Amino acid sequence: MNFLELINKCLLELNYKQVSAFSELIKNDHKRIKTILNIINKEICNVEGWNFLLRRTSLNIPNGVTEVTNPINGRILYLLIDGKKYNYEPDIESFLTGNPNFGTYSQFDDKLLFPKFDEDKTADIVYYSKNCVLDSNNREKTDLEYEGDSSIIPMPFCEQLLVYGTCLRLKANPQYIRFPYWMSMYKEALANLKSKTSIYAQDAPTVRLFRS
């Protein structure tokens, strides 16, 4: 479902007049819907470690070099060198003083920090991408901007999450007549996304009941 279709779905839920062309989206409410759709899309993509955002790349580390420009647009899950997992070390002091623990890496500004190697190495990196949008040519990007752009969240969850989430944020009034319906549909879609986008059976969502 592309950006224009999502906007029209929101307009329908809100009982606003739908549009036939992207160029007609000039009203303040149109602009608010476009902004909120982007906010909701990014929030959902960042709230969990979704499988559909996992990417893999490699990074060359020349011998004797301890700082390499970070090519990752996202959050690193695994970083392996010579088949060994390296752990992230948030304290950069040991790297800056040249005495880091072996098997660790860190980050400073736009650089990844490594121990000094005496030969060229290749880091194998698995990460969660920050790109949560596909353009009309299936190129990844961060924001919904044009009519043909679409969320990277898989269908059918994408439509339900973004449309109902946007309506909830736009109205922001629990007393509004359709607010409870939007909330229930949003929660249902989020639970389904969590359970049905993983191949691991134990990732299914659970409901916990507490005694008062």
Side-chain angles (χ1 to χ4, degrees):
M1 176 168 283
N2 66 33
F3 197 18
L4 179 59
E5 291 169 333
L6 284 170
I7 293 168
N8 268 329
K9 285 283 188 177
C10 292
L11 293 172
L12 181 64
E13 281 294 324
L14 294 162
N15 291 320
Y16 293 167
K17 183 180 178 181
Q18 294 179 281
V19 299
S20 56
F22 201 73
S23 58
E24 297 177 31
L25 298 169
I26 57 175
K27 296 181 179 179
N28 285 336
D29 277 340
H30 294 157
K31 295 175 182 177
R32 290 178 66 200
I33 288 171
K34 288 196 287 185
T35 298
I36 295 172
L37 275 169
N38 269 299
I39 292 171
I40 298 295
N41 190 47
K42 289 178 180 177
E43 285 181 351
I44 293 170
C45 286
N46 288 323
V47 77
E48 295 274 351
W50 303 114
N51 288 340
F52 56 82
L53 289 175
L54 279 176
R55 303 290 182 269
R56 186 175 182 176
T57 190
S58 59
L59 175 67
N60 294 322
I61 309 170
N63 71 83
V65 174
T66 59
E67 298 185 10
V68 182
T69 299
N70 182 9
I72 305 302
N73 181 30
R75 298 169 293 152
I76 295 174
L77 178 61
Y78 300 119
L79 189 150
L80 298 96
I81 300 175
D82 295 333
K84 174 181 172 58
K85 178 184 175 182
Y86 275 56
N87 295 314
Y88 178 73
E89 172 55 66
D91 183 4
I92 65 172
E93 181 180 355
S94 61
F95 290 87
L96 298 179
T97 57
N99 296 298
N101 292 324
F102 186 77
T104 63
Y105 73 97
S106 192
Q107 180 179 6
F108 177 70
D109 196 15
D110 64 342
K111 304 287 187 181
L112 289 178
L113 310 181
F114 297 97
K116 184 180 291 185
F117 299 108
D118 57 10
E119 59 182 15
D120 294 350
K121 296 289 184 180
T122 299
D124 186 19
I125 302 174
V126 177
Y127 66 99
Y128 292 107
S129 175
K130 282 187 178 178
N131 291 325
C132 49
V133 173
L134 294 174
D135 69 13
S136 56
N137 295 311
N138 282 326
R139 290 187 294 250
E140 293 186 2
K141 53 190 289 190
T142 56
D143 294 289
L144 294 158
E145 299 174 279
Y146 306 110
E147 177 178 344
D149 293 344
S150 60
S151 171
I152 209 165
I153 300 171
M155 289 290 286
F157 318 106
C158 168
E159 176 184 348
Q160 198 167 328
L161 285 166
L162 298 187
V163 171
Y164 296 129
T166 297
C167 291
L168 286 167
R169 189 70 59 90
L170 186 70
K171 287 299 182 181
N173 180 8
Q175 303 306 314
Y176 185 75
I177 189 170
R178 292 185 63 79
F179 195 93
Y181 170 75
W182 292 337
M183 180 63 76
S184 66
M185 295 299 285
Y186 177 86
K187 289 181 176 180
E188 176 186 287
L190 189 59
N192 285 333
L193 179 65
K194 289 180 179 180
S195 64
K196 295 179 181 179
T197 57
S198 173
I199 64 170
Y200 182 51
Q202 297 303 316
D203 280 345
T206 59
V207 176
R208 296 181 181 180
L209 300 178
F210 298 92
R211 295 178 181 271
S212 59

